[in-house]
């Protein structure tokens, strides 16, 4: 990747477009899961949505643990030190194996208790636990995919993860169809079938991404020795950069867990409506997330090449593009909220609630654009501390208290909870923009 102002727009497109397409593929499965399960009724939708949210929380925390991987690989590539990048990639996979073998069994054992703590009703707990336990048995493969993706993105290759996601999601959709409804000679497994389809897809994706990492034709080829030869110096560097981001993600996801608990307190109808609205809003995350990833990579490689001005310019340009694209989604959500929610075939009370939530989501789109891009830039520079502070203050002092106040105390219900979340994202966007303008991130040594 040529790190010049002239090539900046091309680099943004080259990096962001595959990530956006990859997210489209992820979202396709995210939505298809609920559409297929939605034909089974409201309770299965709530169960799969809640159990899936718990798995998503673990995945997001682990993704944050890979922030150090992306930042270090990007710096090493920018400085043309590929041998160091290989070592970082190998040790990141070692951390993945340790994390996966430690955390997954713990959540598996306490799956029922966690769902009960989420205030889910008894029938939702039964189906959700069934789904969660199957998926967690194969969850380490999901973590391998996340680590491999972080390595390739740091190296500037966002196309490989996109193609692997394409194959993985095709496998997921195919087995969803076969196992949920019992097509051909396959048994009708309903919610359990959705879990098995996800697990088979995880396994397929992990095998493909490991094949690419070990292949000589890869942009960054590693050997088994890079994984098994423990290098504590590199592990400490990865964890030192990743720790604030991991704490950031942990607090965000813990906040989301309590957020879901508050929603569950309103009943199964609100929980089902929330899951549908979340999946619709996720469409708008694609450009913001993709441009955030592009910013992370360009900032990291630019600083590695000692070009801080290019890093600053990349933040500004990516933010401008994100604002235009996510502003467009604001209009879509306001104009077509009900038809979009109706795609999931919900019952009428669920349809009405989810429509309100999607319309409220339109408010937060510009704020999400600013936050995703500038937080991505800070993390690419190795400044994971600033976004962490924003998250701590936002989650503990605003997000959760306001959600409870609006949704439960003032009895505004699910719509009140979503309105509180929109206000929270606006404040976070303002905070992370101010922190990025101070410029401390450009002088950080990693």
């Amino acid at each position: 990747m040529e790190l010049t102002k002239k090539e900046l727009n091309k680099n943004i497109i080259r990096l962001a477009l595959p990530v956006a397409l990859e997210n489209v593929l992820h979202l396709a499965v995210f939505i298809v899961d609920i559409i297929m399960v939605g034909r089974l009724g409201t309770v299965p939708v709530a169960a799969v949505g809640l159990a899936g949210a718990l798995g998503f929380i673990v995945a997001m925390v682990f993704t944050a643990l890979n922030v150090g991987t992306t930042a270090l690989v990007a710096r090493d590539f920018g400085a043309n030190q590929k041998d160091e990048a290989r070592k970082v990639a190998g040790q990141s996979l070692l951390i993945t194996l340790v994390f996966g073998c430690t955390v997954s069994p713990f959540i598996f054992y306490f799956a029922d208790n966690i769902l009960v703590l989420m205030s889910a009703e008894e029938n939702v707990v039964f189906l959700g636990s069934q789904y969660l336990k199957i998926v967690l048995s194969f969850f380490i493969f999901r973590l391998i995919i996340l680590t491999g993706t972080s390595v390739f993105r740091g190296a500037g290759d966002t196309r490989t993860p996109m193609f692997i996601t394409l194959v993985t999601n095709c496998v997921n959709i195919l087995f969803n169809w076969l196992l949920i409804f019992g097509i051909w000679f396959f048994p009708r497994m309903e919610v359990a079938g959705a879990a098995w389809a996800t697990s088979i897809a995880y396994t397929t994706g992990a095998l493909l991404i490991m094949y690419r990492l070990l292949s000589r034709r890869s942009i960054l080829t590693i050997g088994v020795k890079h994984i098994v030869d423990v290098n504590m110096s590199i592990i400490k560097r990865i964890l030192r950069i990743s720790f604030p981001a991991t704490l950031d993600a942990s607090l965000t996801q813990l906040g989301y867990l309590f957020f879901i608990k508050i929603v569950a307190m309103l009943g199964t109808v609100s929980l089902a409506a929330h899951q549908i609205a979340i999946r619709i809003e996720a469409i708008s995350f694609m450009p913001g997330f993709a441009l955030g990833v592009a910013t992370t990579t360009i900032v990291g490689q630019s600083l590695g090449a000692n070009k801080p001005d290019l890093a600053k310019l990349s933040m500004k340009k990516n933010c401008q593009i994100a604002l235009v694209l996510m502003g467009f989604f604001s209009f879509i959500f306001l104009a077509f909220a009900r038809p979009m929610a109706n795609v999931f075939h919900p019952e009428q009370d669920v349809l009405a609630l989810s429509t309100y939530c999607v319309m409220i989501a339109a408010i937060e789109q510009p704020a999400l654009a600013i936050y995703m891009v500038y937080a991505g830039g800070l993390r690419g520079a190795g400044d994971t501390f600033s976004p962490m502070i924003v998250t701590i203050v936002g989650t503990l002092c605003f997000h959760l208290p306001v959600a409870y106040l609006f949704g439960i105390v003032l009895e505004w219900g699910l719509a009140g909870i979503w309105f509180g979340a929109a206000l929270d994202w606006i404040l976070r966007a303002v905070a992370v923009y101010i922190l990025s303008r101070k410029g401390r991130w450009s002088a950080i040594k990693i």
Side-chain angles (χ1 to χ4, degrees):
M1 186 166 67
E2 188 178 341
L3 297 170
T4 62
K5 291 182 179 179
K6 182 180 178 181
E7 292 294 312
L8 181 57
N9 289 338
K10 290 182 180 179
N11 288 337
I12 290 172
I13 295 171
R14 191 180 301 122
L15 290 169
L17 187 58
V19 177
L21 293 175
E22 181 186 345
N23 284 339
V24 169
L25 296 170
H26 279 305
L27 183 62
V29 173
F30 197 50
I31 291 174
V32 167
D33 271 354
I34 290 297
I35 291 176
M36 290 184 174
V37 172
R39 296 181 181 275
L40 304 176
T42 297
V43 172
V45 169
V48 171
L50 186 58
L54 291 172
F56 177 79
I57 286 168
V58 178
M60 288 301 97
V61 171
F62 187 77
T63 299
L65 191 59
N66 280 318
V67 166
T69 300
T70 303
L72 288 171
V73 169
R75 280 285 182 106
D76 290 336
F77 256 71
N80 200 27
Q81 296 178 338
K82 290 190 177 182
D83 286 341
E84 286 299 309
R86 291 187 183 96
K87 293 176 184 177
V88 171
Q91 294 304 286
S92 295
L93 285 167
L94 178 61
I95 294 170
T96 299
L97 295 174
V98 173
F99 183 92
C101 292
T102 303
V103 174
S104 295
F106 176 82
I107 301 175
F108 182 98
Y109 183 78
F110 291 105
D112 289 8
N113 306 76
I114 294 171
L115 291 169
V116 169
L117 284 172
M118 294 295 295
S119 301
E121 296 176 5
E122 187 176 347
N123 49 1
V124 174
V125 170
F126 175 76
L127 289 177
S129 176
Q130 186 183 53
Y131 179 93
L132 191 58
K133 287 181 177 179
I134 294 170
V135 170
L136 284 171
S137 299
F138 295 83
F139 204 68
I140 192 168
F141 296 113
R142 171 64 172 150
L143 302 183
I144 290 171
I145 295 170
L146 293 173
T147 299
T149 297
S150 297
V151 170
F152 282 119
R153 286 175 178 169
D157 177 8
T158 53
R159 283 188 286 185
T160 294
M162 180 193 70
F163 285 121
I164 290 173
T165 299
L166 173 62
V167 175
T168 301
N169 289 0
C170 287
V171 169
N172 197 343
I173 291 172
L174 173 63
F175 279 95
N176 261 341
W177 179 60
L178 294 174
L179 296 175
I180 290 174
F181 304 112
I183 304 299
W184 200 17
F185 59 79
F186 291 91
R188 181 183 174 91
M189 301 176 72
E190 299 189 349
V191 169
W196 278 109
T198 299
S199 301
I200 293 168
Y202 285 168
T203 306
T204 304
L207 291 173
L208 288 173
I209 209 152
M210 285 305 301
Y211 171 77
R212 287 297 298 164
L213 282 170
L214 296 170
S215 170
R216 292 182 180 274
R217 292 178 294 177
S218 173
I219 191 172
L220 182 66
T221 303
I222 67 170
V224 175
K225 67 176 183 178
H226 293 117
I227 302 172
V228 298
D229 291 347
V230 180
N231 188 321
M232 290 307 299
S233 174
I234 290 177
I235 290 175
K236 287 178 181 177
R237 287 175 69 203
I238 294 171
L239 296 179
R240 178 170 54 81
I241 298 169
S242 297
F243 178 73
T246 304
L247 185 58
D248 179 342
S250 298
L251 287 169
T252 298
Q253 299 309 320
L254 184 62
Y256 180 67
L257 205 61
F258 280 103
F259 187 82
I260 291 289
K261 180 178 174 64
I262 295 170
V263 171
M265 290 169 66
L266 299 173
T268 300
V269 169
S270 290
L271 186 57
H274 177 74
Q275 298 304 331
I276 290 172
I278 280 288
R279 279 156 176 76
I280 294 172
E281 189 189 17
I283 299 170
S284 68
F285 294 167
M286 292 184 294
F289 181 78
L291 290 162
V293 169
T295 307
T296 298
T297 301
I298 295 172
V299 168
Q301 292 200 15
S302 296
L303 293 178
N306 197 27
K307 297 181 177 180
D309 289 342
L310 185 63
K312 293 176 183 177
L313 182 60
S314 72
M315 284 190 186
K316 182 179 178 180
K317 286 213 168 188
N318 275 304
C319 188
Q320 290 170 343
I321 298 169
L323 282 169
V324 171
L325 294 175
M326 296 184 76
F328 171 74
F329 278 109
S330 289
F331 168 75
I332 294 296
F333 289 166
L334 287 172
F336 302 105
R338 189 176 182 86
M340 294 174 80
N342 208 28
V343 170
F344 294 85
H345 306 289
E347 297 170 7
Q348 286 303 308
D349 49 357
V350 175
L351 175 61
L353 267 178
S354 55
T355 299
Y356 287 135
C357 293
V358 172
M359 294 179 73
I360 293 169
I363 300 171
E364 65 191 30
Q365 297 309 305
L368 279 167
I370 295 169
Y371 181 83
M372 288 180 172
V373 169
Y374 279 99
L378 292 175
R379 290 173 183 137
D383 181 9
T384 50
F385 183 77
S386 295
M388 180 193 72
I389 295 300
V390 173
T391 297
I392 291 174
V393 175
T395 301
L396 299 181
C397 301
F398 194 87
H399 187 91
L400 294 178
V402 170
Y404 188 81
L405 174 65
F406 288 179
I408 307 299
V409 177
L410 298 180
E411 298 183 351
W412 293 0
L414 187 61
I417 290 173
W418 273 68
F419 183 68
L423 294 178
D424 175 52
W425 281 117
I426 292 170
L427 291 177
R428 292 192 196 200
V430 171
V432 81
Y433 176 76
I434 291 172
L435 288 168
S436 68
R437 294 287 293 175
K438 290 183 178 296
R440 188 182 72 87
W441 53 270
S442 62
I444 291 176
K445 303 296 182 183
I446 61 173

